[in-house]
């Protein structure tokens, strides 16, 4: 789980199945480890907002892709 500079835990989305898409129409599975590599390239504040948005059920844009928790079918 990621911690911010004040040692406060950020939203944890690692247990959830994740997907990404370039156009929000065709989604592909992505591992949390792959997403973590992308998150490590952005500011702490951007990562915190991104994780919060995705954890609350929306999709968020980062590095040219949209990410979401895979919906149940």
């Amino acid at each position: 789980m990621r911690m911010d500079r004040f040692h406060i835990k950020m939203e944890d989305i690692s247990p959830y199945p994740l997907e990404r898409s370039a156009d929000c129409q065709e989604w592909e599975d992505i591992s949390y480890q792959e997403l973590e590599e992308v998150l490590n390239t952005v500011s702490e504040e951007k990562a915190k907002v991104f994780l919060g948005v995705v954890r609350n059920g929306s999709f968020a844009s980062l590095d040219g892709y949209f990410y979401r928790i895979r919906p149940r079918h």
Side-chain angles (χ1 to χ4, degrees), residues 4-36:
D4 68 12
R5 67 181 173 270
F6 303 109
H7 303 286
I8 297 172
K9 294 178 185 176
M10 294 186 193
E11 295 285 345
D12 184 13
I13 62 172
S14 61
Y16 300 100
L18 303 171
E19 295 179 318
R20 75 175 174 193
S21 174
D23 59 8
C24 290
Q25 293 185 18
E26 297 198 24
W27 294 88
E28 65 181 354
D29 291 338
I30 182 171
S31 70
Y32 183 75
Q33 290 77 20
E34 291 173 286
L35 176 58
E36 188 74 21

Side-chain angles (χ1 to χ4, degrees), residues 11-70:
E11 295 285 345
D12 184 13
I13 62 172
S14 61
Y16 300 100
L18 303 171
E19 295 179 318
R20 75 175 174 193
S21 174
D23 59 8
C24 290
Q25 293 185 18
E26 297 198 24
W27 294 88
E28 65 181 354
D29 291 338
I30 182 171
S31 70
Y32 183 75
Q33 290 77 20
E34 291 173 286
L35 176 58
E36 188 74 21
E37 290 176 18
V38 176
L39 288 173
N40 287 336
T41 67
V42 300
S43 70
E44 177 184 296
E45 196 59 36
K46 189 168 187 171
K48 189 183 294 189
V49 170
F50 174 87
L51 292 168
V53 169
V54 172
R55 176 64 178 92
N56 284 312
S58 297
F59 59 86
S61 177
L62 188 64
D63 199 32
Y65 287 97
F66 295 96
Y67 295 87
R68 70 179 183 183
I69 294 173
R70 184 178 31 202

